[in-house]
Amino acid sequence: MSQDGEQQSLVEIRGLRFVRGTRAIFDGLDIDIARGKVTAIMGPSGTGKTTLLKLIGGQLRPTAGTVTVDGQNVHRLRRGGLYSLRKRMGMLFQSGALLTDLSVYDNVAFPLREHTDLPEVMVRDLVLMKLQAVGLRGARDLMPSELSGGMARRIALARAIALDPMMIMYDEPFTGLDPISKAAIVELIDTLNEALGLTSIVVSHDVQETAAISDYIYVLAEGKVVGQGTPDELRASPSEWVRQFMQGLPDGPVPYHYPATDYAEDLLAGNG
Amino acid sequence: MNALARLGRTGLAFFERLGRGHVFLAQMLYGLPSMLLRPRLVVQQIYSVGVLSLLIIAVSGLFVGMVLGLQGYNTLSDFGAAESLGVMVALTLVRELGPVVAALLYGGRAGSALTAEIGLMKATEQLSGMEMMAVDPVRRVIVPRFLAGMIVMPLLAAIFSAIGVYGGYFVGVGLLGVDEGAFWSQMQANVDLHEDILNGVIKSVVFGVVVTWIAVFEGYDCVPTSEGVSRATTRTVVHSALAVLGLDFVLTALMFGDV
Ligand SMILES: Nc1ncnc2c1ncn2[C@@H]1O[C@H](COP(=O)(O)OP(=O)(O)O)[C@@H](O)[C@H]1O
Ligand SMILES: [Mg+2]
């Protein structure tokens, strides 16, 4: 089983439980991320998508359950092992997380300079290649504060692929972008996945964009997987909840109103 | 009962934070040797931390020295000992005011800037991003700043004292007519390298460690929002001032107190 499993999935999440304060953000989560594919993890804001990526990256520890990346239990690794695993996974933060005191060029060069002893000429070649791949070779002398949101995210992507990772995790790559930048990112994720043979995990609540590039989708709600399958399977899901989410309807099994006392009673209470 | 529970909770939170602060200090100390391999990171920070504070230290040193000259002259001349002005100014500065005032100013100027910088890096996920790039933010960001603070603080205190002595000289000799030869020779004869200068240097090293530790810890441990960063910055200034004044008493008692 493990032979087959390791061939098939790069990331295996089993029985994951994560508690923050008194609230269980995940409770019994099982997810498989297939090698070389684009897997999407979708769900409403606040379901814990970012938290899940941090659990996969070993920045948070689960309360129970295991996360296995490329056959290694992330939370059993010692620091050295975890760091060498992280060199093989890239993460694209929602904010880009570019180092604000370094130029675009130095940001992309950062992981190369930290982890390799390459001579500066080679660093330069690599940086320019990565910047060319995201179409921003001309922006190399800008500072992060001079970049638009979409550009910052593409630079962060160039930095994430600097060490040629086996996997990239995208946290909300489409959120807050104009349609053109959004299309550019969609295109980039797709081509990088194809060209570099990367495994991609896309965390998002933008149904259209995500469905367009994903091979497989998990839909999360309230700490559990409530639906999974290819984009087409999910659109035809028997679950009303999943259909509401995939079609973006305001009301349905997920109520429009946050739980509250009776409206009339609430208004009248002010008079007493 | 409620108040008691609240007191307990506040107490626990306080000690938990104190514990985290010490674990963090241990992490920084453990990371110090790695700076031997990357001296450039430290030099950059010495530049930014030190140069930030240089002007304010120099100007304050001058004024404090001038005030010491005035006040000292008034008191000493009543006893006919105005020539001892040089000794008085120098000892006050080297033993006390140099290390203490320089550390207070350093905390307000460079310490708060360190907290805000690190806090913002945390709030914008730059520290998290480094971790995901397999770069330890403590070694890459924190340790160079900590070490720079340790190195810079004694230098700033020395600059403060030196400029202060000239301030006292300017007022005492230049304006009030104290004998120049007496001013310098008494100072030279009565300021002891070990007793006074070395103890002053020890004080400023201790203050440098403590103030920089508070500053980087507050930044690293802050709530990663704009409000959290601003609170952390305020805490750095307040706590570092209290720590400097409190420690100064302890150190003075140990060094000069014969207790
Ligand atoms: N540092 C934190 N401390 C406490 N609660 C947090 C923290 N980060 C996130 N949360 C909570 O965890 C839940 C999941 O957050 P997150 O993973 O960011 O959701 P998503 O990315 O799906 O929008 C949210 O309810 C959020 O309020
Ligand atoms: Mg999120």
Side-chain angles (χ1 to χ4, degrees):
Chain A
M1 176 230 137
S2 76
Q3 261 301 337
D4 195 46
E6 273 178 28
Q7 288 295 314
Q8 294 292 316
S9 6
L10 184 61
V11 182
E12 285 180 14
I13 298 174
R14 291 291 173 268
L16 185 73
R17 184 177 155 80
F18 181 74
V19 179
R20 201 155 228 167
T22 52
R23 184 177 150 220
I25 297 188
F26 299 118
D27 197 2
L29 204 63
D30 293 311
I31 286 180
D32 285 278
I33 309 287
R35 271 176 206 276
K37 296 274 165 50
V38 180
T39 305
I41 295 170
M42 310 196 64
S45 296
T47 8
K49 302 184 296 295
T50 304
T51 308
L52 182 62
L53 293 187
K54 290 195 167 167
L55 283 160
I56 297 176
Q59 286 193 298
L60 295 173
R61 299 192 73 82
T63 315
T66 58
V67 177
T68 314
V69 177
D70 200 25
Q72 294 176 288
N73 182 333
V74 175
H75 302 98
R76 280 281 173 72
L77 288 174
R78 296 181 145 274
R79 193 187 148 88
L82 182 60
Y83 271 32
S84 56
L85 184 62
R86 280 185 187 161
K87 284 182 206 165
R88 299 193 292 141
M89 27 194 206
M91 173 144 172
L92 186 68
F93 284 82
Q94 197 170 342
S95 58
L98 293 175
L99 301 170
T100 39
D101 56 342
L102 299 182
S103 69
V104 162
Y105 179 96
D106 289 327
N107 259 289
V108 180
F110 182 82
L112 296 166
R113 289 182 178 148
E114 290 291 319
H115 294 306
T116 68
D117 289 323
L118 294 176
E120 200 51 38
V121 265
M122 283 191 67
V123 169
R124 186 186 134 90
D125 285 352
L126 284 168
V127 170
L128 294 184
M129 274 165 59
K130 304 300 174 187
L131 283 174
Q132 177 72 11
V134 299
L136 289 174
R137 192 165 43 87
R140 75 183 101 155
D141 294 324
L142 298 181
M143 293 305 284
S145 56
E146 300 169 293
L147 302 172
S148 72
M151 283 162 84
R153 228 168 274 178
R154 278 151 74 188
I155 301 293
L157 186 50
R159 185 179 67 175
I161 57 174
L163 291 173
D164 293 317
M166 57 179 178
M167 162 175 118
I168 299 197
M169 301 186 273
Y170 300 90
D171 192 3
E172 311 264 8
F174 314 118
T175 308
L177 295 186
D178 61 87
I180 300 176
S181 310
K182 215 186 258 190
I185 297 271
V186 171
E187 182 75 21
L188 260 176
I189 296 179
D190 206 28
T191 27
L192 285 179
N193 197 71
E194 295 272 303
L196 305 181
L198 288 171
T199 302
S200 312
I201 305 178
V202 180
V203 151
S204 179
H205 51 227
D206 291 286
V207 177
Q208 301 308 325
E209 288 79 10
T210 312
I213 49 168
S214 319
D215 297 299
Y216 202 81
I217 299 181
Y218 286 91
V219 182
L220 302 186
E222 279 153 28
K224 291 207 165 46
V225 175
V226 293
Q228 56 175 294
T230 61
D232 290 333
E233 282 168 12
L234 280 183
R235 284 196 200 92
S237 165
S239 154
E240 248 186 273
W241 193 97
V242 173
R243 283 208 309 278
Q244 183 194 349
F245 183 79
M246 295 299 285
Q247 292 164 11
L249 304 176
D251 213 350
V254 182
Y256 173 71
H257 288 288
Y258 192 84
T261 53
D262 185 67
Y263 188 35
E265 255 175 49
D266 217 359
L267 287 176
L268 290 173
N271 300 336
Chain B
M1 206 57 220
N2 233 336
L4 199 62
R6 214 168 321 128
L7 182 70
R9 214 170 309 137
T10 315
L12 281 179
F14 172 77
F15 283 110
E16 195 205 326
R17 196 140 194 280
L18 200 64
R20 254 183 300 152
H22 282 85
V23 170
F24 186 71
L25 179 65
Q27 271 179 302
M28 288 195 295
L29 294 175
Y30 188 67
L32 276 183
S34 69
M35 286 301 111
L36 288 175
L37 298 174
R38 311 197 56 178
R40 268 188 58 188
L41 288 178
V42 184
V43 173
Q44 270 171 11
Q45 290 310 320
I46 290 180
Y47 179 79
S48 68
V49 170
V51 172
L52 267 185
S53 320
L54 202 52
L55 185 66
I56 188 174
I57 292 276
V59 174
S60 315
L62 184 66
F63 282 120
V64 168
M66 283 162 61
V67 170
L68 280 176
L70 273 178
Q71 296 278 20
Y73 180 81
N74 281 341
T75 312
L76 290 174
S77 59
D78 285 349
F79 299 97
E83 318 79 62
S84 304
L85 184 64
V87 192
M88 193 228 111
V89 169
L91 283 185
T92 317
L93 282 166
V94 169
R95 283 180 169 191
E96 281 300 329
L97 291 184
V100 172
V101 179
L104 294 176
L105 293 170
Y106 168 81
R109 183 68 185 85
S112 59
L114 279 177
T115 305
E117 185 190 15
I118 295 169
L120 275 174
M121 289 182 84
K122 183 177 183 186
T124 53
E125 294 187 305
Q126 293 181 52
L127 298 182
S128 223
M130 272 189 199
E131 251 174 60
M132 284 307 296
M133 287 188 280
V135 175
D136 181 355
V138 173
R139 292 207 178 168
R140 182 62 176 69
V141 176
I142 307 292
V143 173
R145 285 165 171 77
F146 179 61
L147 186 55
M150 275 166 74
I151 296 172
V152 157
M153 190 67 255
L155 297 178
L156 290 176
I159 291 170
F160 184 95
S161 297
I163 292 182
V165 166
Y166 275 100
Y169 168 80
F170 176 69
V171 169
V173 176
L175 299 180
L176 301 172
V178 175
D179 180 60
E180 177 167 5
F183 185 90
W184 292 120
S185 64
Q186 288 228 15
M187 191 189 300
Q188 196 179 17
N190 289 305
V191 177
D192 183 72
L193 177 66
H194 178 81
E195 263 288 294
D196 304 314
I197 310 249
L198 189 67
N199 278 337
V201 171
I202 292 175
K203 274 188 182 179
S204 62
V205 171
V206 172
F207 296 159
V209 170
V210 172
V211 173
T212 319
W213 171 28
I214 292 176
V216 293
F217 177 67
E218 288 290 354
Y220 194 76
D221 197 58
C222 77
V223 179
T225 58
S226 29
E227 199 206 355
V229 175
S230 91
R231 277 167 184 251
T233 310
T234 310
R235 272 202 306 271
T236 293
V237 177
V238 175
H239 291 182
S240 64
L242 290 176
V244 166
L245 295 172
L247 276 173
D248 183 49
F249 174 73
V250 175
L251 290 174
T252 307
L254 289 176
M255 289 167 175
F256 307 102
D258 296 330
V259 260

